[in-house]
Each structure stands twice: as structure tokens, then as C-alpha cells.
Amino acid sequence: YIPLVPQVILLGFSSLGIAPYDLSFALFCQTFIFVAFNKVITAQYFTWYLCLLPLCSDRINWSSRRMLFSFVVLVVSIVAWLLSA
């Protein structure tokens, strides 16, 4: 149960510390924490990020070039993941 302790602490902080001020960003953080501490990673988790990203886009200050680069990296990683499956 020791590996669950950091996840529980971070989820508690995002629920009690962030959610009262910015619910959409808290949901994004909770999804990120869940995936980062999960033992299994699937391509479905990437779509969870994409669904929540527009909700908290005002909190993420990215330039258009960086956003395009991140999107290309995401597409390449999903294609590589699905080709190996």
C-alpha cells in the first residue's frame, strides 16, 4: 500500500486545494495523477487528456508553435503505441 500514499496525497490536494478555485484544472490534474501513478498505461488515457485540455486551456500558457509540437508528439506516440499492439 505504500505506493498508493503519494497518489492519495496528490489527489487529496487537487480535490481540496485546487477544485474550489478551478474545477476544470483540478479534473485535469486528477486525471494526470491517476495516469502517472497507474501501473498500466493504454492509448485511451491520451484521449482523456485531450477531452479535458480545452476546459483548462486558459490556465496553460503555450505558444502556437509549442502547441503544434506537442500535438505532433502526441500523434506520433499514439500511432507508435497502436502499431506495436
Side-chain angles (χ1 to χ4, degrees):
Y1 296 109
I2 292 175
L4 292 176
V5 173
Q7 183 178 6
V8 169
I9 291 171
L10 289 171
L11 286 172
F13 174 74
S14 66
S15 296
L16 301 174
I18 300 174
Y21 304 105
D22 192 353
L23 182 60
S24 59
F25 187 65
L27 291 173
F28 182 80
C29 289
Q30 288 177 350
T31 305
F32 185 82
I33 292 166
F34 174 76
V35 173
F37 284 93
N38 201 357
K39 294 178 183 178
V40 179
I41 296 176
T42 65
Q44 178 184 3
Y45 293 151
F46 295 116
T47 60
W48 292 358
Y49 292 140
L50 290 177
C51 292
L52 293 171
L53 195 58
L55 294 175
C56 60
S57 61
D58 59 334
R59 299 271 279 159
I60 301 173
N61 189 12
W62 283 3
S63 65
S64 296
R65 184 175 180 187
R66 187 168 181 190
M67 188 71 81
L68 179 64
F69 175 76
S70 298
F71 181 73
V72 168
V73 168
L74 176 68
V75 169
V76 168
S77 64
I78 290 174
V79 168
W81 182 275
L82 293 176
L83 285 177
S84 66

